[in-house]
Each structure stands twice: as structure tokens, then as C-alpha cells.
């Protein structure tokens, strides 16, 4: 009986591993060179320009390259953490499969349409990748606007969406993003491709040099309530303190934070006021 279970687990891992190899190139736009981030692998700064359209951070301007990113990573980050990510994400995909099924059916019944919501996000060294979430908003919702920038955001959130967002269940499909190698369990939350101010602020602390995470230090220290400079500084603090014990601390803190519903502000994420943007 034990051998049968081991064979089943091995077969499941092999099947998911094969799927990851097949899906990985498309998940980072390898087959779409025109979608590549022009700032990938570069250090950047944000330059304000009121003549430009407002970006996802609520400010106007653009990124400028100021050098190359060295992207140096510790042995823990490169090897140990990847082993932990693969092991835990595989376990999560298997154990939580019934939850995935229930939420998927609920979404379809509540608001017919795709179960998953994909979005271009910024990964390690500013490489774009496709992030997956359970769809929590109506089909008519603007695609590349953060919730806090939508006018009356509550009107777009579905009934099931309100529940899964409150309990962070909409993030569960990112377990696949972890397994495939675009994310880690612990790390800075992946920014939208057009959150240019957050990207530049994180560069001040080398926080873009590691994989983004399902949860992280900033997530358990304010989450949506944080303004951009504070969030970036916390992401940088995680970057400098990254270790097995610190990751465990972040993971335990996440469980407590989710149980309490801390830091969730629908339609009111802590973005910087325009007059608070530091000019560079």
C-alpha cells in the first residue's frame, strides 16, 4: 500500500513537472519578444513628468535605466529556497486541489467566465511574467488598474470575490507560479508591470533582485495600508535578512495576519500622495 502511494505521488510530481517545463516559456513571454520588459536586468529610477499618463501608482512619469543590476543571490536563495518552494508548492497543489475545485465552481456559478485571472507582473530582475489568481471581479473590470485606483471598486467585486479576497484565497493559484519557478513562497509581492514608482523604490534596496513571493515581510507589516516608500523599505529589509528562519517568521506571521484579516483595504491601498513623491 505504501509503495502504491509513493508511485502515485511520483507520477503526480512527474506530470506537474512536465507541465511546468512546457508552460514555463509562455509564462515569461519567451515566445513574445515584443512583450519583454525594456528595463529587465537594469537598475532604474523614476522621473516625474506631468505630461505623461498616470501609471498604476497614481503618479505621472517614467523609468530611466541608470546601470546594470548585479542580481547576486545567496546560496540559500538560489538552491535551498528553490528546493523548499518546489516541495511545498507541489504539496499545496495536491492537498488543496479540492479547494481549487470548489472555488472554481463557485466563481462560474456566481459570475460566468474564466475561473483564473492572469496579469503581467514584475519578477526577478524585472522580468515580466504571467501571474495567476482566482477571478474575484466582474468581467467588465478594467484589466491593468489596481483596485485602489478604480472608482467605487466595490461595484466590480463579485460575491465570491469578496469572500476569497477577505481570506486571501484568490492568491492560491500562485502556488502554480511558485512551482513553475516565477515566484517564491516568501518575497516581495510582485508589482504590476506599470507600477513604476514601486519598482524604482525597490531598486534602492535591491529588492528586485530576488523572486517575488506569495507573501512577505511587507505583507505582515501593513499590506494595503502601506505607502510605497514604506513598502519598498520593508521589501529591502527582507532582501537583506533573507534566510530560512526569517522565512519561517514571515510564514507564521502571514497565517496570523490572514486569520485576523489585517491590512486589507478594498479600494484604498496605501499609495503615495503626489506631493509626497521624492523627486530624483
Amino acid at each position: 500500500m505504501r509503495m502504491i502511494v509513493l508511485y502515485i505521488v511520483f507520477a503526480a510530481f512527474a506530470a506537474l513537472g512536465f507541465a511546468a517545463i512546457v508552460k514555463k516559456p509562455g509564462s515569461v513571454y519567451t515566445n513574445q519578444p515584443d512583450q519583454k520588459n525594456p528595463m529587465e536586468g537594469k537598475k532604474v529610477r523614476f522621473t516625474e513628468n506631468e505630461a505623461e499618463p498616470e501609471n498604476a501608482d497614481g503618479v505621472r512619469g517614467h523609468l530611466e535605466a541608470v546601470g546594470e543590476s548585479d542580481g547576486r543571490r545567496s546560496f540559500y536563495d538560489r538552491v535551498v529556497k528553490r528546493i523548499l518552494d518546489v516541495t511545498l508548492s507541489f504539496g499545496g497543489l495536491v492537498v488543496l486541489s479540492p479547494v481549487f475545485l470548489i472555488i472554481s465552481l463557485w466563481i462560474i456559478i456566481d459570475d460566468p467566465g474564466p475561473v483564473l485571472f492572469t496579469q503581467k507582473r514584475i519578477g526577478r530582475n524585472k522580468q515580466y511574467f504571467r501571474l495567476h489568481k482566482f477571478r474575484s471581479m466582474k468581467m467588465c473590470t478594467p484589466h491593468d488598474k489596481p483596485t485602489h485606483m478604480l472608482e467605487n471598486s466595490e461595484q466590480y467585486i463579485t460575491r465570491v470575490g469578496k469572500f476569497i479576497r477577505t481570506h486571501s484565497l484568490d492568491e492560491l493559484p500562485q502556488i502554480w507560479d511558485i512551482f513553475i519557478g516565477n515566484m517564491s513562497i516568501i518575497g516581495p509581492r510582485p508589482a504590476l508591470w506599470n507600477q513604476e514608482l514601486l519598482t524604482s523604490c525597490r531598486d534602492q534596496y535591491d529588492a528586485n533582485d530576488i523572486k517575488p513571493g506569495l507573501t512577505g515581510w511587507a505583507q505582515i507589516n501593513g499590506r494595503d495600508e502601506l505607502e510605497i516608500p514604506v513598502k519598498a523599505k520593508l521589501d529591502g529589509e527582507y532582501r537583506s535578512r533573507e534566510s530560512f528562519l526569517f522565512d519561517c517568521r514571515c510564514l507564521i506571521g502571514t497565517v496570523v495576519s490572514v486569520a485576523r484579516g489585517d491590512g486589507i483595504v478594498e479600494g484604498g491601498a496605501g499609495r503615495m500622495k503626489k506631493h509626497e513623491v521624492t523627486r530624483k
Side-chain angles (χ1 to χ4, degrees):
M1 183 65 180
R2 184 179 299 176
M3 290 302 297
I4 293 175
V5 172
L6 289 175
Y7 283 136
I8 292 173
V9 171
F10 178 79
F13 184 82
L16 284 173
F18 178 75
I21 292 172
V22 172
K23 294 291 186 180
K24 174 70 174 181
S27 72
V28 292
Y29 303 94
T30 301
N31 301 323
Q32 298 173 269
D34 58 314
Q35 294 290 329
K36 182 178 178 179
N37 185 2
M39 296 298 169
E40 183 178 327
K42 301 181 184 299
K43 286 290 183 182
V44 299
R45 68 180 177 191
F46 183 77
T47 299
E48 285 187 86
N49 186 340
E50 289 300 318
E52 296 183 27
E54 188 175 81
N55 64 23
D57 288 321
V59 293
R60 300 175 186 274
H62 60 274
L63 291 176
E64 294 181 353
V66 294
E68 299 294 324
S69 174
D70 54 34
R72 287 180 293 181
R73 301 159 65 196
S74 66
F75 177 79
Y76 172 75
D77 185 77
R78 289 184 294 106
V79 180
V80 178
K81 192 170 181 177
R82 181 57 187 152
I83 293 173
L84 291 172
D85 284 341
V86 171
T87 303
L88 294 176
S89 60
F90 170 69
L93 289 170
V94 173
V95 173
L96 296 174
S97 55
V99 178
F100 277 66
L101 179 59
I102 292 170
I103 293 176
S104 298
L105 292 174
W106 193 4
I107 291 171
I108 292 172
I109 294 171
D110 189 26
D111 186 59
V115 169
L116 295 178
F117 170 75
T118 61
Q119 199 172 48
K120 185 190 292 184
R121 295 290 183 112
I122 297 177
R124 189 174 75 84
N125 286 336
K126 304 181 189 68
Q127 181 184 55
Y128 289 154
F129 75 98
R130 296 180 191 272
L131 175 138
H132 297 83
K133 286 189 175 187
F134 279 124
R135 182 171 60 86
S136 61
M137 307 189 86
K138 298 175 182 177
M139 295 297 295
C140 60
T141 308
H143 192 73
D144 280 323
K145 273 194 174 183
T147 307
H148 67 268
M149 292 190 68
L150 294 172
E151 185 176 348
N152 187 18
S153 61
E154 289 285 348
Q155 67 178 314
Y156 295 107
I157 301 174
T158 61
R159 286 171 296 180
V160 59
K162 187 173 181 63
F163 177 83
I164 63 177
R165 288 165 75 96
T166 298
H167 299 283
S168 298
L169 297 175
D170 59 320
E171 312 283 1
L172 287 180
Q174 288 160 52
I175 296 175
W176 170 253
D177 296 324
I178 295 169
F179 185 77
I180 204 173
N182 291 331
M183 290 179 60
S184 186
I185 294 174
I186 309 295
R189 283 296 296 159
L192 282 166
W193 66 274
N194 53 352
Q195 283 189 279
E196 296 165 328
L197 183 59
L198 176 58
T199 299
S200 67
C201 286
R202 281 177 170 171
D203 251 14
Q204 297 176 27
Y205 305 100
D206 298 325
N208 291 312
D209 293 344
I210 57 176
K211 289 180 182 178
L214 180 63
T215 186
W217 188 231
Q219 289 297 102
I220 63 175
N221 283 282
R223 196 172 176 173
D224 294 337
E225 297 173 345
L226 298 174
E227 292 183 347
I228 288 173
V230 179
K231 182 182 294 185
K233 187 174 181 178
L234 287 168
D235 290 333
E237 184 178 346
Y238 171 77
R239 170 74 171 89
S240 63
R241 299 176 64 183
E242 185 183 29
S243 65
F244 177 73
L245 290 178
F246 196 59
D247 279 353
C248 289
R249 180 177 176 181
C250 290
L251 193 58
I252 294 171
T254 297
V255 173
V256 174
S257 180
V258 170
R260 293 176 176 173
D262 292 342
I264 300 175
V265 184
E266 290 292 2
R271 63 193 177 109
M272 287 177 57
K273 298 180 179 64
K274 293 181 178 61
H275 68 273
E276 293 176 325
V277 178
T278 302
R279 297 181 181 275
K280 292 189 175 292

